[in-house]
Amino acid sequence: MPTLTRRSLLTGTATTALFAGAGPAAAEAPPAGKQAPGVYRYKIGSFELTALYDGIWYRPITDKFIRNASFTEVEHALDAAYMPHDKLETPFTTLVVNTGKKLILIDTGTGGQISPTAGMIGDNLAAAGISPKTVDQIVISHFHPDHINGIKDKDNALVFANAEIMVPAPEWAYWMDDANLNAAPADLKLTFLNQRRIFSDIAPQVTRFDPGKEVSPGIVTLAAPGHTPGHTVFAIHSGDQSLLVLGDTAQHPAIFARHPNWQAAFDVDGVEAVATRKTLFDRAAADRMLVTGYHFPFPAYGHLIKTAGGYEHVPAPWQPNLQ
Ligand SMILES: [Zn+2]
């Protein structure tokens, strides 16, 4: 075998030598031009989980993106993650939990109403062989539009017609309060108004749960305030396995796991968000729990390990078999 050097790779001499005698070149094939379905399954005990990719939003950011770090520091973190300086890569991954008795959808994606590069839940549900009509329960982590807009389509029709919708009671109390709407700055008012578009006409059908309660056998809710006042995470237990569903405890892990003290401009209470993040990440790292994060790169699950300055997300390897 020839010696591979960077120079020989660049000039092609090594590859020419490597593939010499490999036979005639393959015939031309048309490019596929599109991505494969964003569906990934894994198991927690006897529960089968299906991660469904909704797409990605390239969220514009400015030098005000992190409240308590200089933009120079932020730029270093973005460079380290091979990310641009003016956009935060924000992928969306929802989760269907098949408990054997029920199909439960945790957060609903963007409904195609946030970014032209997101809104793929419908296609990916179909690719996974799941009809929206068969979803029994929707459980919401918090009321930001990328988590609730998928409840309805653009024409305000319910997408999951037979699902009970369960939301954190403190989240409802904060966002559906008209005094909070009236006191909000103009851009945040849009968030409040969007929540009314989604929830007002279906309010009697929406179940509000207190964090700490189970929403279904094996799915425990935990208060995780800061990102929003009622932000809630979920611990899924089956057999001797557990998964912590982190929601927006941290957005992209290359930024917020590595820099857990950073307060994002989009957190309602940055100090509380940091405290919640560190408590949950410490627990996940110490207990070696599997975690999934709504804005982690697809399929958005793996482990968290503690490092000198923060945490590192260790993605789980692709597993061909469900065991
Ligand atoms: Zn989010």
Side-chain angles (χ1 to χ4, degrees), residues 259-314:
H259 304 278
N261 291 311
W262 283 2
Q263 300 170 24
F266 43 71
D267 290 336
V268 172
D269 184 331
V271 173
E272 195 174 39
V274 165
T276 292
R277 181 181 307 144
K278 289 163 85 170
T279 300
L280 290 173
F281 280 28
D282 277 346
R283 179 178 156 190
D287 293 352
R288 301 177 67 81
M289 278 178 92
L290 276 167
V291 300
T292 179
Y294 192 74
H295 299 296
F296 286 18
F298 188 77
Y301 95 118
H303 291 91
L304 289 165
I305 54 173
K306 202 157 184 176
T307 62
Y311 309 85
E312 190 73 29
H313 177 233
V314 182

Side-chain angles (χ1 to χ4, degrees), residues 92 142 144 146-147 227 248 251 294-295:
F92 310 102
H142 67 293
H144 278 157
D146 51 317
H147 299 256
H227 179 62
D248 282 17
Q251 292 222 343
Y294 192 74
H295 299 296

Side-chain angles (χ1 to χ4, degrees), residues 23 29 31 89 111 119 121 131 138 150 202 253 261 288 293-294 305 311 319:
E89 292 171 7
I121 282 294
S131 162
I138 292 170
I202 58 168
N261 291 311
R288 301 177 67 81
Y294 192 74
I305 54 173
Y311 309 85
Q319 299 188 45

